[in-house]
Amino acid sequence: MLEAVRLVIWDLDETFWSGTLVEGGLNENIHYAETVKELSKRGIMNSICSKNDFSSAREILERLGVWDFFIFPSINWSSKGERVQGIVDRVKLRPETIMFIDDNPMNLREVSSVVPNIQIENEKFIPRLLSDPRFVGKNDNQLKRLADYKILEAKNEVLESRGGDSHAFLRDSGITVELDYDIENNLPRVIEIINRTNQLNFTKNRLSDDNHEAEKQIREEISHYDRHAALVRVRDRFGDYGHVGFFLQARGAGYNNLKHFCFSCRTLGMYIEKWIYDYLGAPDVNVIGDVLTDLSDVTIIPDWISIYQPDLSEVETLKGTGGTILLCGGCDLDAVSHYVKATFSRTALFANTMRLGAEIRRDHSSMLRRAFEGLHDDDGLFLRQLGYSTEDSALGILPSDVDVAVLSFWADMFYPLYEVVRRGYRMPYAPLLGCGHANIEDIYEIDLWNRGAVPENIEIFRFAKANLKYLNVIDKEEFQENVRTILRYFRPDARIFLMNALQQVPKDFEWTRARHSQLNEWQAEIAQEFPNVVLVNVDEFMSRPEDAVSSTHFVRDFYRQVGLHLCSAALE
C-alpha cells in the first residue's frame, strides 16, 4: 500500500502548466497553481524539478502568485535523477512519502532508478490528485509547515554558500533552546510529538490514539514529584521553529532516566537532541528501534547551542559575578534544580543518593556541616564501614565561589541523630534498605534479609549496631549551631535562601505540623542574625491542597513555581 504523500515534485512544461516555455507556446491561463496552494493548506509541500531557464520560469511563477509556495526548486538543464535526489536529501523526507510528476516517461524512469521507492505519476494523474486518499494531509491553513520549510531552505542556501562547513554554519546560526514547562496548556502538541515522531523518538513510548485518553495518560505521567518535563522550543537567526521536542525525565536519589525523549526531524542536523541529553545530565534511556543520533557519542559537542533568554541584561549581570547557585537538600531541591539551571552559569547540587539499595542522606544539617568542615583523620575509613563513601561528604564547590545558596533541612525534622561511640560527634544515619528514619536499635538482621539485603548490607548493619547509639531528632541548640556554622562559610554578599517547611500539611500528615512549625521558628531566628539570609515560605506556592502529595513531596508544578521564585529573588 502506497504511503501518504508529504511532498510533490513538479515538472513544469506540459505538467504544471500547458505548453513549453522555451518554445514560446506557454498558455499562462492553464496551470495548477490552485492545486499547489491547496496542497500547501493541507500541509503537503511542493517542489520543482524542471529543465528550463531559471529566471524565466521564476518570473512566470511569480506572476501566477505561486513561486513562494515551492521549496527547494531545481530549474536548470541537467539530468533530473540526481536533482530529485538532491531535493529529497534537503527536505529530509523518506522517498516513499514523495511523489514526482512528469509528462516524460524517460524522466520518470530515470528518477525511479536514482531514487528507489519514490512515487511517480504522469501529467494525466493531476486532475484527480486532490481527491486521492494519499493527499488528505492535515489542516494547515496558516501554512506553518510551509514556513518551516522556507526556513530550512534559507539555511541550506547559506550552508552551501559556505562550502558545506556545517559546524561553522551552525555556530553562526545563533541556535537557542527554550524549555517550556507549561505542559498542561500544550497537551495536543505533546501528544503529537510523542505519537508522530520516529527518526528522533528515542523511547517510542506511544500514547493512546484517543486524544482524551492520551491526555489522561500524559497528565498521570507528569504528575509525580520526581518528574521533570518540558516542551523544547528552538529558535535561530532564520526563524522560530516552535515546539519541536518533548522530554519526560524521572530523577531522584540513585536514579535518572528518560520516559519520553522525542524530537521533530525539522531540527535534524542541529543536534538539539544531543544538547538536551547532555543538559539533563546524560540520563539512562532505553533506546527503541533505529534513531538518527547516537546520544552516547562524546565526539558530538553542540557548543553552538545556548539557552534562550528573552532579556539577557539582568541575567548577564548575575553571570558577571560568577552566577553560581548551590542547592543543598533532598528530593525537593533536586526537583527545583531543573528550573534554576537556565538562569545561572553554574548549578551545583548536593543532594541524596543511593548505594546498595539504601538511602545516603546528605540533606541533614549535621551532614552538610561535615561537608563544609571536611573529614577528620580516619573518618573516611569509619564512614565507609557505615556504608558511606568519601564522596558523600564532598561538596564539590568552594563556598567562596557561591553567589546564591538554597538550603533545605527538612530531613532534620524526622531523621534521628546517633552518637558515634568513642568518636565525639553525632550524625544522622539512614543507609539500611528502606528503614528510613527508624531507630536501628529496633531493627534486626532478619528485617534486612526480608528486604532483599546482600551480605554487604548485613556487614554494614552490624558495624552500625556496634558503633552508633540512638539519641533522637535534633534539638534547637544543635540545629542552629549547625546552620550558623554552615552560613559562616559563605561570602557576606552571597544570597542565602532557607526553605521553610510546609504548614498546610495534608490531613494524613497532620502529625508533622508541630515539627514543621518548630523548624520554621528556629530558621526565623537564624534569619534575623544574618542579613543575607531569606526564608522561603513554601506555602505560597500551593495553588490547591492536592499540590501536596505528602508533607514534604509535591506535584511537578510546585517545584517549578519555587524555582521561578528563587531565580527572581536572586536577581533582585
Side-chain angles (χ1 to χ4, degrees):
M1 182 177 178
L2 295 174
E3 293 192 35
V5 174
R6 301 179 67 183
L7 169 70
V8 178
I9 302 176
W10 296 80
D11 172 46
L12 292 179
D13 291 339
E14 302 292 1
T15 301
F16 174 78
W17 53 44
S18 177
T20 305
L21 178 59
V22 294
E23 295 177 359
L26 181 65
N27 185 347
E28 292 189 26
N29 295 318
I30 302 176
H31 53 76
Y32 286 100
E34 293 306 313
T35 299
V36 167
K37 293 178 181 179
E38 175 59 28
L39 287 173
S40 298
K41 292 178 181 178
R42 298 182 185 186
I44 300 170
M45 297 298 97
N46 298 271
S47 186
I48 298 171
C49 185
S50 171
K51 291 184 178 180
N52 252 311
D53 176 72
F54 181 89
S55 297
S56 300
R58 174 172 179 169
E59 181 183 346
I60 294 171
L61 291 168
E62 286 179 338
R63 196 156 56 238
L64 296 176
V66 75
W67 172 254
D68 289 333
F69 285 82
F70 291 103
I71 61 172
F72 298 105
S74 177
I75 306 173
N76 57 55
W77 299 103
S78 61
S79 59
K80 292 192 174 184
E82 292 183 0
R83 287 199 282 145
V84 169
Q85 181 64 65
I87 294 170
V88 173
D89 293 341
R90 288 173 174 83
V91 296
K92 297 180 174 63
L93 294 174
R94 292 181 300 110
E96 293 86 346
T97 65
I98 299 173
M99 177 177 286
F100 173 61
I101 305 177
D102 197 301
D103 67 303
N104 188 323
M106 183 177 294
N107 289 337
L108 294 175
R109 286 195 297 270
E110 178 190 348
V111 168
S112 290
S113 67
V114 176
V115 190
N117 301 321
I118 193 170
Q119 299 185 48
I120 59 171
E121 292 285 355
N122 61 31
E123 79 285 2
K124 296 176 182 178
F125 170 74
I126 302 174
R128 62 179 188 275
L129 182 150
L130 291 177
S131 60
D132 189 287
R134 290 171 290 175
F135 294 85
V136 172
K138 182 181 178 182
N139 181 25
D140 188 17
N141 285 329
Q142 302 301 313
L143 302 180
K144 188 177 185 304
R145 187 171 178 82
L146 177 60
D148 290 337
Y149 272 103
K150 284 296 183 181
I151 292 174
L152 182 62
E153 185 179 54
K155 291 172 62 176
N156 191 76
E157 289 177 0
V158 174
L159 177 59
E160 290 182 350
S161 71
R162 291 178 174 272
D165 187 343
S166 60
H167 283 196
F169 166 73
L170 289 168
R171 288 191 175 89
D172 288 344
S173 295
I175 303 170
T176 64
V177 166
E178 178 184 2
L179 300 185
D180 186 346
Y181 293 113
D182 188 9
I183 306 299
E184 288 77 5
N185 287 321
N186 290 286
L187 287 176
R189 182 55 179 156
V190 171
I191 295 167
E192 182 180 34
I193 292 174
I194 291 174
N195 284 349
R196 294 190 61 187
T197 55
N198 289 295
Q199 295 170 310
L200 291 176
N201 189 326
F202 294 83
T203 54
K204 295 184 176 66
N205 291 325
R206 308 297 189 186
L207 302 172
S208 171
D209 291 333
D210 178 81
N211 286 337
H212 180 70
E213 182 62 28
E215 287 192 7
K216 286 177 58 179
Q217 290 173 340
I218 196 64
R219 285 182 189 276
E220 165 60 24
E221 289 184 18
I222 67 175
S223 66
H224 304 282
Y225 72 87
D226 63 347
R227 300 299 162 88
H228 175 213
L231 280 158
V232 178
R233 184 173 181 176
V234 175
R235 300 173 176 85
D236 64 15
R237 68 183 180 91
F238 297 97
D240 184 344
Y241 300 81
H243 292 134
V244 295
F246 174 74
F247 67 80
L248 176 58
Q249 177 186 26
R251 192 179 82 177
Y255 62 93
N256 181 11
N257 55 71
L258 289 165
K259 304 296 184 183
H260 291 287
F261 197 64
C262 37
F263 299 84
S264 166
C265 61
R266 272 187 281 169
T267 59
L268 189 62
M270 291 184 179
Y271 293 100
I272 301 297
E273 64 284 356
K274 182 64 167 66
W275 188 90
I276 291 288
Y277 179 73
D278 293 343
Y279 181 84
L280 296 177
D284 295 330
V285 54
N286 181 25
V287 178
I288 302 297
D290 294 329
V291 289
L292 297 180
T293 300
D294 181 2
L295 297 174
S296 63
D297 188 347
V298 296
T299 66
I300 302 174
I301 305 173
D303 54 4
W304 48 81
I305 301 173
S306 61
I307 280 285
Y308 173 73
Q309 297 287 359
D311 181 4
L312 286 175
S313 57
E314 291 183 333
V315 177
E316 289 300 324
T317 299
L318 181 66
K319 287 183 178 180
T321 66
T324 296
I325 184 170
L326 170 66
L327 301 104
C328 303
C331 54
D332 55 331
L333 292 192
D334 196 339
V336 167
S337 68
H338 302 305
Y339 308 107
V340 302
K341 190 174 181 179
T343 299
F344 297 89
S345 56
R346 182 183 179 189
T347 300
L349 178 65
F350 188 80
N352 303 326
T353 186
M354 298 285 288
R355 188 171 299 113
L356 291 173
E359 279 186 309
I360 304 296
R361 305 290 311 198
R362 304 201 295 177
D363 54 343
H364 194 283
S365 65
S366 296
M367 292 296 289
L368 186 59
R369 177 177 178 175
R370 292 181 63 74
F372 274 78
E373 292 182 328
L375 299 179
H376 305 290
D377 302 328
D378 62 344
D379 277 356
L381 174 62
F382 180 80
L383 288 172
R384 282 197 296 275
Q385 294 177 92
L386 283 173
Y388 293 98
S389 74
T390 53
E391 289 74 22
D392 295 332
S393 297
L395 195 62
I397 188 173
L398 294 175
S400 58
D401 291 339
V402 174
D403 300 291
V404 178
V406 186
L407 311 177
S408 176
F409 297 118
W410 293 355
D412 286 62
M413 294 185 287
F414 307 111
Y415 281 84
L417 289 174
Y418 291 85
E419 178 184 347
V420 182
V421 177
R422 294 184 300 277
R423 297 189 72 86
Y425 60 81
R426 297 136 72 91
M427 63 180 288
Y429 190 67
L432 287 173
L433 282 174
C435 296
H437 42 75
N439 181 355
I440 65 170
E441 295 175 4
D442 297 331
I443 301 171
Y444 300 91
E445 288 187 16
I446 188 62
D447 299 319
L448 298 188
W449 286 119
N450 289 338
R451 288 186 172 94
V454 297
E456 191 172 351
N457 294 124
I458 301 302
E459 183 180 345
I460 291 170
F461 174 68
R462 290 172 179 171
F463 187 85
K465 279 274 201 177
N467 290 276
L468 298 180
K469 179 182 178 182
Y470 178 84
L471 297 173
N472 209 322
V473 292
I474 197 168
D475 61 21
K476 175 181 179 179
E477 181 180 359
E478 187 167 358
F479 172 80
Q480 291 189 333
E481 182 56 30
N482 284 343
V483 177
R484 289 189 187 99
T485 301
I486 293 166
L487 294 177
R488 292 187 187 111
Y489 276 90
F490 294 109
R491 301 192 320 262
D493 63 332
R495 302 290 301 277
I496 313 297
F497 295 92
L498 294 181
M499 299 287 290
N500 270 348
L502 184 70
Q503 290 297 287
Q504 303 175 58
V505 295
K507 288 184 179 180
D508 291 344
F509 296 87
E510 189 66 34
W511 58 275
T512 66
R513 186 188 301 274
R515 188 65 176 163
H516 284 211
S517 298
Q518 196 172 53
L519 179 79
N520 293 348
E521 290 171 6
W522 296 349
Q523 293 196 147
E525 292 178 9
I526 290 285
Q528 291 179 349
E529 301 174 22
F530 291 82
N532 60 335
V533 171
V534 178
L535 299 176
V536 179
N537 180 11
V538 299
D539 286 72
E540 294 179 358
F541 309 104
M542 289 275 293
S543 59
R544 53 179 187 159
E546 293 79 11
D547 287 349
V549 179
S550 71
S551 60
T552 55
H553 294 92
F554 304 87
V555 297
R556 179 184 59 89
D557 195 59
F558 170 90
Y559 299 112
R560 183 176 73 90
Q561 295 293 340
V562 173
L564 293 175
H565 168 78
L566 289 171
C567 291
S568 175
L571 292 171
E572 289 179 353

